[in-house]
Amino acid sequence: MARRGTLLGVLLLALLVGAGGRALWLWLDRPIERVSIRGELHHAGADYLRSRLAPLVQGRTWLSVDLGELRERARDIGWLSEVRIRREWPDALVFELVEQVPVARWNDDRLLNADGEPFDPAPLEVPEELPELSGPANSGAEVLAYHDALAARLAPQELFLRQLRLEARGAWRFQLEGGLWVMLGRNHRDERLARFLAAWERELGETASHIRYIDLRYPNGVAVAWHGQTEPVDDATTDQG
């Protein structure tokens, strides 16, 4: 009989502890009342980010919210490259945000970060000085890397890139400040670029304002299309490669 009483006492104690634990959980698991944002923000302001984050926590409670799932949803906000979240007593979440750093425009309506990953800039303003790059899907890193290499090759002659495009078939072309286009094609890019730089230093640079585009897709020479002409002037047969 004493043993049965002991077991009953243990059971009652466990129920009380369980009930107390549940009451404590319910007391702690209150609705989220505040969202704090921290991090260096240059493009996406705190008000904009708070307006995007608020719907993600609406209806959530402080203890029950899944921080991992919430982090993944927050990363879908275009201007965020990294998100860290922690709880802050008694009813707040703190978002530590790392902002995307745009280095180029991409395919007219997106931006590239330094890793060549595209992201959506809307509805924020885009920095005007960014170069314009374009290419097929998943080619952002390749185009950005070639842009940097090409810019370094052109800089000694004070030539600056405005646009760089990789066509679907693999051909490259770029536009200089001033509007002049240069067709590199698919193959022998280094050789063709060296030929362009030599021709530019020798004579083309002095007449740049009259040139519409330069076509380097030739075995030896170049073709120059002048403003007002319908066909380029060339001294060789193009291989279009």
Side-chain angles (χ1 to χ4, degrees):
M1 191 71 176
R3 183 179 180 184
R4 182 179 299 176
T6 301
L7 291 175
L8 182 59
V10 171
L11 179 60
L12 288 174
L13 179 61
L15 289 174
L16 288 172
V17 170
R22 176 170 175 77
L24 179 61
W25 175 275
L26 293 175
W27 181 72
L28 291 174
D29 196 27
R30 60 190 65 191
I32 297 168
E33 297 292 343
R34 294 184 297 113
V35 172
S36 298
I37 294 175
R38 298 178 184 175
E40 293 187 15
L41 304 172
H42 302 284
H43 301 284
D47 290 341
Y48 163 77
L49 292 171
R50 192 174 288 109
S51 70
R52 292 299 185 94
L53 293 171
L56 302 184
V57 302
Q58 187 174 9
R60 308 286 189 104
T61 53
W62 192 70
L63 279 180
S64 298
V65 63
D66 185 336
L67 296 186
E69 180 262 344
L70 186 58
R71 173 182 175 274
E72 292 304 314
R73 293 186 62 189
R75 286 196 64 191
D76 290 338
I77 298 174
W79 280 89
L80 299 182
S81 65
E82 187 55 73
V83 177
R84 292 182 291 273
I85 310 173
R86 60 181 174 84
R87 296 178 176 88
E88 188 172 84
W89 174 265
D91 54 12
L93 293 181
V94 177
F95 287 78
E96 297 182 7
L97 307 178
V98 179
E99 192 179 48
Q100 294 276 17
V101 179
V103 298
R105 295 174 182 264
W106 179 247
N107 286 342
D108 297 326
D109 60 353
R110 307 198 78 190
L111 297 177
L112 287 183
N113 62 23
D115 294 321
E117 300 169 339
F119 65 94
D120 186 2
L124 304 181
E125 293 184 5
V126 177
E128 295 182 359
E129 70 276 8
L130 297 178
E132 298 182 20
L133 310 182
S134 63
N138 302 317
S139 66
E142 178 186 5
V143 177
L144 181 60
Y146 189 54
H147 169 272
D148 293 346
L150 186 57
R153 290 283 305 274
L154 296 172
Q157 295 206 36
E158 297 185 350
L159 297 173
F160 304 101
L161 286 174
R162 175 189 289 178
Q163 295 188 52
L164 175 63
R165 296 185 180 181
L166 173 60
E167 308 294 347
R169 295 180 60 187
W172 295 85
R173 58 176 170 148
F174 62 88
Q175 186 185 44
L176 300 173
E177 284 191 357
L180 187 155
W181 279 97
V182 179
M183 313 301 179
L184 273 177
R186 293 188 299 271
N187 307 311
H188 313 296
R189 283 182 286 164
D190 288 344
E191 298 173 15
R192 292 172 177 178
L193 188 60
R195 191 191 315 152
F196 163 73
L197 291 173
W200 186 270
E201 186 174 10
R202 185 173 58 247
E203 56 184 332
L204 295 182
E206 298 178 356
T207 57
S209 61
H210 302 288
I211 300 174
R212 185 156 49 97
Y213 69 83
I214 298 172
D215 194 339
L216 302 172
R217 299 171 295 176
Y218 288 75
N220 299 303
V222 300
V224 179
W226 305 91
H227 288 296
Q229 288 183 329
T230 57
E231 297 295 334
V233 176
D234 62 82
D235 58 4
T237 302
T238 181
D239 60 10
Q240 297 297 319

